[in-house]
Amino acid sequence: MQNPQDIFQQQKLIRHDNLLWLLVAQGVVILPLLMQLPMWLWVIWGGSLYWRWKIYAGQRQFPGSISKLAISIAAIAGLLLTYQGAFGVEAMVGFLVFTFIIKLLELRSRKDGLLIIFIGFIAVAAQFLFIQSIWATLYAAVSCMVLITAWKTIYATRELAVKHKLTSGSILLLQAIPLMLVMFVVMPRLGPLWHTPLLNQQAQTGFSETLSPGDIGSLVQSTGTAFRVTFLDDSTPRQSELYWRGLILENFDGRTWTRPRHPHFTDIAPIAKQGDVETVNYEVLMEAHRYPWLFSLANPIKANTGAVRSRITSNGLLVAREPLNTRLQYQVASVNPRDTLIHELSSQQREQLTTLPEGFNPKAVALAKTWRNTLGSPDAIIAKALAFYHQDFYYTLSPPLLGENSVDDFLFSSKQGFCEHFASSFTVLMRAADIPARVVVGYQGGRYDASENYWSIRQADAHAWTEVWLTGIGWQRVDPTSAVAPQRVEQGIDNALQAADRSRIAAGQFSAPQWLTHLRYRFDAANYLWSRWVLSYDAQQQNQLLKQLFGGKEPWRVGLIFLAIISSLMGCYIALVIRPKWQARSPLQKSLSQFDKTCQQWKLQRADHETLAQFCLRLGTKQPQLLEACQRLGALSQAALYDPKEDNQQQLMTALKRFPKE
């Protein structure tokens, strides 16, 4: 006879055929993390799976303490070398994944399996450190479903069908969703885990603090999204007015434009008090880009950037105090593009904004001075310059290389360029004509999604233009690109490129059919809504929602409402799920109920303590004409009781239904 202690120990072990579920659950959970971590972790995972399989096949023993210590030291050394000793988020997640993997090598009992499941749930949360889209959330839900299924499986004592296991895990996950939604709404909002900056995050806007010929042209081939905008009122500007300002470049060395070293900041309130002006209100959902500038329309007068501290510069730019390391949702009120705010220039500012480096681009300087001497009026000079561009210039992604005097080469030789060529050369002409001018870098236009009422601004919408200062008017936007390719401003970059440029871009990108492009737009809309209403749900939005729903945000009020909602959910669960299960009857029970009604016609009723065979014996004695039917029914009941095969139960149900009636 087997020792009871051995039996107890065996009951604590996981069935061999259920170990596969733990391996599958681990693979599903760590796959997104392995894609973000060093490649050598893949090797450790593969080696652990191979070793685990050998243990399963009885060809290798479990690793000893020395082996596990050596593997751990090697992994820690690898993390230190990979991240150069920086104990950041990636290194900690890498160590978490390593412990998750190495636990496979000592997996024996249900306790070990339970620990793997718990580490798996932590790993699911760690996925959101790297990506927070709605698709990542759906994948995390699938990961949780697989983990729950594996959790139930490790306690299984007999073989179950795969469909049964998955269904059971899915039902448990679905039952938890109502409670999760309630807790999401009412629980205090803490800083999101994904706000932690990562070492491997790279700038995504493509903009640096300088601008040279060709810088923006390279961005057109990017399919990434820079930010999305929703206008909050009916004053949505036309597409030709959507100039999203990010950087102002004032210093020029003959080829490259740079921003001022010490930009001046001013509080929002003083600018907002400058007269009664019509405003445009909009909300921006901006992707992380590791730079401090935030994009907005011209002349922002009010901004709400939440927990991110920001200022409005004297040049009308919205700038954060620190680099933007995470997606940010902010609201801005800007002066209507049809209106302007008058700003005065000091003599020092005017001198700086009309200065050009000596010895560079002599032809362009001479031409502008000729215009100044013959035309005089700044308006006439600007019109003359735009007419000059309208003649023989071409808008192209692949202009020829320019020499040291890049503006002269562009204006008088190549006459082919992208927006940065036109903006840079136009600004040089204006300064040479003694008109204060500067280069502005940002985005122009965007793609409008009518179904969700938002604008998607891509990296391909990057643009550069010029702002000139006119006496009595202030800063005026002038886009020389519109004189060469007006469709760039009116219809977007996709309609402005020549056929050769479009072919060049298409050659480097996947050419998707129309239906797939439409589907991608729908995915983008879903991801935008997810980011706007879920990922950006912070303490401020929670307070507003609680006030709207419950009339206040006091802890006692929220606590009472939370208890009421939870009680209601539990009541619905009991009424709709648990109670029907209590009252549910099997087909055999239904057949017995029908048999009992039939027996009432024979003036006999089966007692609660009486088995079916006992009752059939009593019924056959009282009603001799039913003796044969009762004997057969009693035999079938015994067969179904002691040999519960499906055929025996089916024959018993058939006999119960066909039992003779009076």
Side-chain angles (χ1 to χ4, degrees), residues 434-545:
D434 200 33
I435 300 175
R438 61 194 185 189
V439 175
V440 184
V441 177
Y443 296 88
Q444 199 284 321
R447 182 187 62 82
Y448 179 66
D449 190 306
S451 62
E452 302 299 339
N453 189 31
Y454 76 98
W455 289 81
S456 177
I457 291 83
R458 306 164 299 167
Q459 300 293 351
D461 296 313
H463 195 53
W465 61 94
T466 302
E467 288 182 348
V468 298
W469 187 86
L470 303 176
T471 304
I473 297 178
W475 286 107
Q476 190 80 13
R477 181 185 68 244
V478 181
D479 189 354
T481 302
S482 63
V484 182
Q487 62 272 28
R488 165 65 184 92
V489 177
E490 298 291 339
Q491 303 174 16
I493 182 67
D494 296 332
N495 298 297
L497 297 176
Q498 302 293 330
D501 289 331
R502 288 196 295 268
S503 300
R504 178 185 172 191
I505 295 177
Q509 297 178 357
F510 173 68
S511 182
Q514 185 65 30
W515 67 269
L516 190 58
T517 301
H518 179 75
L519 184 62
R520 181 167 60 87
Y521 289 158
R522 299 280 57 78
F523 284 168
D524 182 80
N527 197 36
Y528 168 66
L529 293 177
W530 173 259
S531 300
R532 184 182 181 191
W533 297 112
V534 178
L535 296 182
S536 299
Y537 182 67
D538 55 12
Q540 182 179 2
Q541 292 186 357
Q542 185 186 49
N543 292 338
Q544 295 175 355
L545 180 61

Side-chain angles (χ1 to χ4, degrees), residues 129 143 168 223 313 416 519:
L129 286 168
S143 301
S168 178
T223 59
T313 69
Q416 300 178 44
L519 184 62

Side-chain angles (χ1 to χ4, degrees), residues 80-101:
L80 290 174
L81 292 175
T82 301
Y83 297 107
Q84 300 178 354
F87 290 94
V89 175
E90 293 97 328
M92 299 305 295
V93 173
F95 187 73
L96 171 69
V97 171
F98 166 73
T99 57
F100 193 23
I101 292 173

Side-chain angles (χ1 to χ4, degrees), residues 602-605 610 614-627 630:
W602 297 103
K603 305 298 188 281
L604 282 178
Q605 185 173 358
E610 199 172 18
Q614 292 172 340
F615 176 72
C616 288
L617 179 61
R618 184 162 62 91
L619 178 60
T621 304
K622 296 289 185 180
Q623 301 291 342
Q625 67 274 27
L626 301 177
L627 181 60
C630 288

